[in-house]
Amino acid sequence: MTADVSEFHYGLVTPIAAYLMACLGAVLALRCTTRSIGRGRGEKRFGWLALGAVSLGCGIWTMHFIAMIGFSVDGALVSYDAGRTVLSLAVCIAVVAVGVFLVGYRGSGSVTLGTAGIFTGLGVAAMHYLGMTAMNTGGTVHYGTTAVVLSVVIAVVAATAALWAAVSISAVWATVGASLVMGAAVSAMHYTGMAAVSVHVVQAQAGGQSSTSLLAFLLVMLAGPVAALILAAAIVMFDPEVVGGGRRDLQSDGHREPVAGRSLTS
């Protein structure tokens, strides 16, 4: 039989918390990428881009699994495979890193941005559905084709917009505004994908969703990515150039270095 499913077992607590984590990852990634622009192509630039990629990847992944805390299947106990859950995190960070480094080093030209956006968007969608394969409901999970395709399109558009913003927006408040929009896009992708889900169970189980062990498992899985976001936030907050919104377009020798994807002629 087809079981009733819900995304809001705990009401609006999980979608709001998930959205805020997506926004946090986005704003940290934007500030880190801004910090890298105008630097040389050495270790410091690499480090800021890497921190931005980890922040965005962890923010997206954390949004997904906080939202999944609120997912329930009537008459079924939901559990997750730890290996696939961790693998989905690794996939998310890896594909985001490819996009961030592409635009960070090559700029926001249409070909580069399009390639990076499509690759990253498809990777984020892959993370979502890989994370879903880690879920065990004691039944069979089916997906509606239309909603799946729409969720992938949203992921690609959101990824492209995020990467464009990373190299095109430097003002602090503009970055915050962009991160709010990006958080909404990531959340829209997730809940569109979840709208495609239907679960067929052979026999309903007493008690239904949300055992203490499931909640504990998801919180343990979230601990690492949340800690990474807190660490990234601390690094960003204590860097005056990141907080102040300035791009260091002048190198220590007094010469201008071209900023990726734009001209510095006055």
Side-chain angles (χ1 to χ4, degrees):
M1 66 175 182
T2 301
D4 292 330
V5 299
S6 173
E7 304 299 326
F8 309 104
H9 186 77
Y10 297 103
L12 294 178
V13 173
T14 48
I16 291 174
Y19 169 70
L20 292 176
M21 294 307 295
C23 292
L24 175 61
V27 74
L28 290 173
L30 293 180
R31 298 316 300 159
C32 289
T33 306
T34 293
R35 186 67 169 87
S36 75
I37 299 294
R39 286 190 166 273
R41 296 173 183 263
E43 181 180 348
K44 288 185 178 180
R45 187 173 189 183
F46 178 92
W48 282 110
L49 289 173
L51 184 62
V54 170
S55 298
L56 186 57
C58 286
I60 293 171
W61 187 89
T62 302
M63 179 273 142
H64 171 79
F65 275 96
I66 287 179
M68 291 307 296
I69 291 175
F71 179 73
S72 65
V73 180
D74 188 36
L77 292 174
V78 179
S79 62
Y80 290 86
D81 177 79
R84 290 188 182 183
T85 301
V86 173
L87 178 60
S88 68
L89 172 61
V91 168
C92 190
I93 293 176
V95 297
V96 166
V98 171
V100 168
F101 276 88
L102 271 175
V103 298
Y105 279 104
R106 300 182 63 86
S108 57
S110 57
V111 174
T112 300
L113 186 60
T115 301
I118 291 173
F119 182 87
T120 304
L122 292 177
V124 169
M127 175 280 297
H128 174 88
Y129 291 105
L130 178 60
M132 292 299 293
T133 67
M135 183 177 66
N136 177 30
T137 62
T140 305
V141 178
H142 299 278
Y143 297 93
T145 303
T146 301
V148 169
V149 171
L150 181 58
S151 71
V152 173
V153 171
I154 293 173
V156 170
V157 172
T160 304
L163 295 172
W164 173 83
V167 293
S168 303
I169 297 177
S170 61
V172 173
W173 289 111
T175 298
V176 172
S179 70
L180 295 177
V181 175
M182 288 161 56
V186 172
S187 297
M189 178 267 164
H190 172 84
Y191 285 106
T192 300
M194 295 308 296
V197 173
S198 61
V199 179
H200 297 267
V201 295
V202 177
Q203 183 176 1
Q205 301 177 16
Q209 152 82 5
S210 230
S211 66
T212 302
S213 60
L214 170 62
L215 188 58
F217 170 80
L218 290 175
L219 291 176
V220 168
M221 289 290 105
L222 288 166
V226 170
L229 288 171
I230 293 173
L231 177 60
I235 293 172
V236 168
M237 288 178 65
F238 283 101
D239 188 290
E241 288 189 41
V242 176
V243 176
R247 282 179 170 164
R248 201 176 90 176
D249 297 335
L250 289 175
Q251 301 304 305
S252 57
D253 61 1
H255 294 290
R256 288 180 180 269
E257 177 180 321
V259 173
R262 56 175 62 190
S263 170
L264 287 173
T265 57
S266 54

